[in-house]
Amino acid sequence: MKTKKLLSILAILFIALISGCAGDDFNEVVGVCPVVSSTVPTNGTFGVPLNQIVTVNFNEEMNPATINQSSVIISAAGAALPGTVTYSGKTATFTPSSRLKTNTLYTGTIKTSVKDVDGNALQTDYVWTFTTGLNPIVVSTDPANLATDVAFNKVITATFNMAMDPLTLNASTFTVKQGTTTVVGTITFAGTMATFTPSAPLAENKVYTCTITTGAANSVGTELANNYVWSFTTGLTPFVSLTDPANNATDVALNKVIRATFNMPMNPLTLSATTFIVKQGATTILGAISYSGSTVSFTPTVPLIENKIYTATITTGAQNLAGIPMAANYVWNFTTVNAIVIPPIVIPPTGLFFGVFGGNAGITNQGLLTKVNGTIGTTAASSLVTGFKDGLSGDVYTVTPLNNGLVTGGIYTDAPAPGNATKAAAALAGLNAARNLYNSISPASMPGGVVNPGAGELGGLTLAPGIYTASSSFKITNGNLVLDAQGNPNAKWYFQAPSSLTVGDSLPSSVTFLGGVGNANNVFWYVGTSAVINYAGGGVMTGNIIANSGVTLSSPANSTTPVGQETILNGRAISLVAAVTMVNTIINVPN
């Protein structure tokens, strides 16, 4: 039995000796065959760099003659990649002739034709796979592409879809230019965001172009596929374009709300007690700050002090909506009015109290050149008097930066303040006096005049003192009307227009005294409906106009009339039941 077992063992050893490893060409060491011990990349690796060099490590030294392009193959979609195969030690290396493609599955194959130095062959093909990574891309920027109104202190950022190699984000791969001029700045990277911080503020209203080049690579060395380029435009610097009161203004009311208007909308959060400061001397004035549109308002907590100089300042802390601050502090000053007690109304011989009266409907001014050298009144509420400042009390009646007229003799209206019951009573007395005079000079009360001179067109005529009655309306549109007092400085004229009165048309017309002899207080215009005086602007009208249904002097088209081209009325504009409207009009109320 023992002899039989020994013979079996010897037979097995003999078979192994003569067979060895598959594919042997030489005498072999029994049972020792080459195998692949590891690869780079390893099997199943994802995100392999595009410049990857593939290596294969064996468990023993191999015959270099068997390590070549036919035994070491890297392929994609069945097509072998061109490349160079080298061998050193126990490692075979495949260097692709060109960069790998993004997001591509590659297959590595080591054929059984590779052998060790003893001629032992790899027993089976060794196959493994790996996948290249994606190109990094810029997914967002700040500022965004084509952004406008970008702040001058903007920090520029670009966010990627994956982690990047910080060493590849530098001054050569992340550039910012204004035109052809490169902006100097500091580049940092954290997470997936690259940040460019300019060394100096950006310039106003300029286009900047940012570029991240293909030199920027992710953490495994995969670069951007193409340069990423975007641009943005910086904003304008805000500035104060208008103030109320204006710089160096005088006679400013003690209850004045101080305003500054900017050239663009501002960030309300930057308009506060630290950026809008009002002082009287070294004393800071307390007040409430509000903002609307592009205008900031400062309402003093207590009335201002009479006859004092106040200084208002808007600091560079004030910013627009894009965060751009003013370039410099804006400073202006004004002087408050002397407190004057309104004197009682003096009743002139005509019985008319007021230079302008707006019935129960109010009085409106448009423009900055309107001035009434006298008093105005209405039985309406003070809110229906707009665009005026009371030169005696300093009270303001809905003035704006574009509509601010002056009344030298006081304003009389009903409540609310600055109107009150006392002023309303005086206005009512003025209305009654005007109505009485209106009735007394009507055609019914004062008949017998010259009927319809000039067929109702008084332009181009010269008229002696007397009564003149229109069949319907009077017009002075065909030249000027001259009043000849015939040497009597106290001469009187009465013009009765049952319907309307129109002075001027496409061109202004005037009513003047021949030789300058005459008194505007002795010229009366009775108007059954409404009077329109020099709607085209300019011209000089003379006399007391008493119209039932409104008086209009000039038109909104003349709201920006230059100094010297105002519409002038030497007399009064009285309306019994409608408003009086004025646009850059000067009214000289006669004594």
Side-chain angles (χ1 to χ4, degrees):
M1 179 64 70
K2 290 182 179 180
T3 304
K4 186 175 181 180
K5 288 183 178 179
L6 179 61
L7 291 172
S8 297
I9 293 171
L10 292 173
I12 292 170
L13 292 174
F14 178 77
I15 293 171
L17 179 64
I18 64 173
S19 61
C21 298
D24 292 350
D25 292 329
F26 305 99
N27 292 326
E28 315 295 351
V29 176
V30 177
V32 178
C33 301
V35 295
V36 174
S37 58
S38 65
T39 61
V40 178
T42 59
N43 185 41
T45 300
F46 181 82
V48 173
L50 306 184
N51 60 352
Q52 179 70 55
I53 295 175
V54 182
T55 61
V56 180
N57 297 307
F58 295 91
N59 66 326
E60 60 179 306
E61 291 187 14
M62 303 296 288
N63 180 359
T66 66
I67 306 296
N68 50 52
Q69 290 180 332
S70 63
S71 61
V72 179
I73 304 168
I74 306 297
S75 62
L81 268 66
T84 302
V85 178
T86 59
Y87 179 79
S88 176
K90 298 179 181 180
T91 301
T93 300
F94 179 92
T95 303
S97 300
S98 59
R99 290 167 59 85
L100 304 180
K101 296 181 179 180
T102 59
N103 198 29
T104 299
L105 177 67
Y106 287 87
T107 301
T109 304
I110 307 299
K111 305 292 288 184
T112 57
S113 58
V114 299
K115 297 180 180 180
D116 63 15
V117 293
D118 295 321
N120 297 315
L122 196 69
Q123 298 300 290
T124 60
D125 288 352
Y126 184 87
V127 180
W128 81 107
T129 62
F130 58 87
T131 305
T132 51
L134 297 171
N135 285 111
I137 59 173
V138 176
V139 294
S140 65
T141 62
D142 184 21
N145 188 34
L146 303 180
T148 58
D149 289 331
V150 174
F152 305 150
N153 61 349
K154 185 65 180 176
V155 174
I156 303 162
T157 65
T159 301
F160 298 87
N161 64 329
M162 60 183 69
M164 301 293 287
D165 180 357
L167 296 179
T168 67
L169 291 162
N170 50 52
S172 63
T173 60
F174 190 169
T175 61
V176 179
K177 291 187 176 184
Q178 197 286 297
T180 59
T181 303
T182 299
V183 178
V184 178
T186 302
I187 298 170
T188 58
F189 184 82
T192 59
M193 179 182 290
T195 300
F196 182 97
T197 304
S199 300
L202 304 179
E204 176 181 4
N205 197 29
K206 296 292 184 182
V207 176
Y208 286 82
T209 301
C210 307
T211 302
I212 296 182
T213 73
T214 55
N218 64 15
S219 56
V220 297
T222 304
E223 302 95 341
L224 270 74
N226 300 288
N227 289 355
Y228 187 87
V229 182
W230 77 102
S231 65
F232 61 86
T233 305
T234 50
L236 295 171
T237 303
F239 61 84
V240 175
S241 59
L242 188 69
T243 63
D244 181 26
N247 188 35
N248 296 321
T250 58
D251 295 329
V252 174
L254 304 184
N255 62 349
K256 182 66 180 176
V257 176
I258 303 160
R259 296 182 172 91
T261 300
F262 298 88
N263 63 322
M264 63 182 67
M266 301 293 285
N267 180 358
L269 298 179
T270 67
L271 296 167
S272 64
T274 59
T275 59
F276 191 171
I277 304 163
V278 179
K279 289 187 175 184
Q280 197 286 299
T283 302
T284 299
I285 306 303
L286 299 179
I289 296 173
S290 59
Y291 178 79
S292 178
S294 57
T295 298
V296 60
S297 300
F298 180 97
T299 304
T301 303
V302 298
L304 304 178
I305 302 172
E306 64 178 281
N307 199 30
K308 295 291 185 181
I309 296 176
Y310 286 81
T311 301
T313 303
I314 306 288
T315 74
T316 56
Q319 300 176 358
N320 65 12
L321 296 177
I324 299 173
M326 299 206 322
N329 290 354
Y330 187 87
V331 182
W332 77 103
N333 62 71
F334 57 88
T335 304
T336 51
V337 69
N338 278 321
I340 300 175
V341 177
I342 299 177
I345 298 175
V346 178
I347 302 175
T350 61
L352 297 175
F353 293 12
F354 297 100
V356 178
F357 195 84
N360 59 359
I363 305 169
T364 300
N365 163 60
Q366 188 170 342
L368 301 175
L369 304 180
T370 294
K371 183 176 183 182
V372 179
N373 292 306
T375 59
I376 70 173
T378 176
T379 57
S382 63
S383 58
L384 294 181
V385 176
T386 62
F388 289 100
K389 177 173 69 175
D390 190 327
L392 294 181
S393 66
D395 293 331
V396 294
Y397 292 76
T398 319
V399 300
T400 71
L402 299 178
N403 304 312
N404 192 351
L406 176 65
V407 179
T408 64
I411 301 175
Y412 293 80
T413 70
D414 202 351
N420 54 46
T422 300
K423 294 178 181 179
L428 180 58
L431 174 61
N432 291 334
R435 184 177 288 112
N436 290 338
L437 180 59
Y438 177 79
N439 291 331
S440 70
I441 63 173
S442 68
S445 300
M446 188 178 286
V450 177
V451 178
N452 215 29
E457 173 60 74
L458 303 181
L461 300 182
T462 299
L463 299 178
I467 302 171
Y468 299 91
T469 305
S471 59
S472 177
S473 300
F474 272 137
K475 295 192 299 182
I476 308 174
T477 59
N478 189 21
N480 299 327
L481 170 62
V482 177
L483 304 179
D484 182 3
Q486 299 180 345
N488 180 7
N490 297 315
K492 295 183 178 181
W493 290 260
Y494 298 90
F495 295 93
Q496 301 167 334
S499 184
S500 62
L501 169 65
T502 302
V503 179
D505 192 359
S506 58
L507 295 174
S509 297
S510 296
V511 177
T512 60
F513 292 110
L514 181 64
V517 179
N519 186 344
N521 211 35
N522 293 331
V523 180
F524 299 90
W525 297 88
Y526 169 95
V527 183
T529 58
S530 61
V532 178
I533 310 301
N534 283 321
Y535 201 73
V540 179
M541 179 61 179
T542 299
N544 301 299
I545 303 169
I546 311 175
N548 184 71
S549 307
V551 180
T552 299
L553 299 110
S554 189
S555 69
N558 302 309
S559 61
T560 56
T561 293
V563 175
Q565 297 183 25
E566 303 92 336
T567 296
I568 297 174
L569 169 61
N570 294 321
R572 294 175 173 85
I574 307 296
S575 173
L576 301 181
V577 297
V580 174
T581 61
M582 292 175 276
V583 180
N584 283 332
T585 300
I586 296 175
I587 297 182
N588 299 309
V589 180
N591 294 324

